[in-house]
Amino acid sequence: MEKEKLYRLKSEANQISPILNIGKNGITDTLIEELNKQIKANRLVKVRVLKSAEEGKDLKAIAEEIADATRSTLIEVRGRTVVLYR
C-alpha cells in the first residue's frame, strides 16, 4: 500500500469511533462474522481490544490475527485500538 493512501486512511480512522470491543472471549467466530459485515459496510473500521482479551498475547499479534481472519489490511495499532481496512 502506498504511503499517501496509508496516511489518508490513518487520518480517516481518527474521525471514527471503535465499533467493536474484543473482551475476555477473545477472537470468536461471531466476532469475525460481525467484523466482516462492518468492514463490508464501512471499509475502514476501528476495534478496541480490552485488557481481558490479551491473556499474555501481544496486542500486535492479536491485531494481525484479526486482520488475517477478516482478510483485511492492518492499518495501525494505536494504544488498545486496531484499525482495519478492506
Side-chain angles (χ1 to χ4, degrees):
M1 189 178 290
E2 67 268 8
K3 276 187 177 178
E4 288 168 25
K5 188 172 185 182
L6 195 62
Y7 288 136
R8 197 182 74 241
L9 289 171
K10 282 183 181 183
S11 76
E12 272 181 49
N14 287 334
Q15 311 302 315
I16 61 174
S17 300
I19 52 160
L20 284 172
N21 288 329
I22 299 174
K24 63 178 182 258
N25 295 335
I27 301 166
T28 61
D29 292 342
T30 314
L31 177 103
I32 296 301
E33 254 177 63
E34 182 57 33
L35 206 45
N36 273 325
K37 281 183 203 163
Q38 294 295 333
I39 292 171
K40 198 171 191 177
N42 305 310
R43 299 186 61 84
L44 187 70
V45 295
K46 211 184 243 188
V47 180
R48 181 169 288 128
V49 180
L50 304 177
K51 267 190 175 162
S52 57
E54 282 186 47
E55 293 174 12
K57 277 188 183 174
D58 176 28
L59 200 61
K60 184 92 172 145
I62 292 172
E64 286 168 359
E65 192 179 330
I66 298 166
D68 287 344
T70 57
R71 296 178 315 286
S72 57
T73 307
L74 178 61
I75 300 298
E76 73 175 332
V77 177
R78 184 181 289 173
R80 302 199 152 284
T81 307
V82 177
V83 179
L84 300 168
Y85 173 79
R86 184 189 315 138

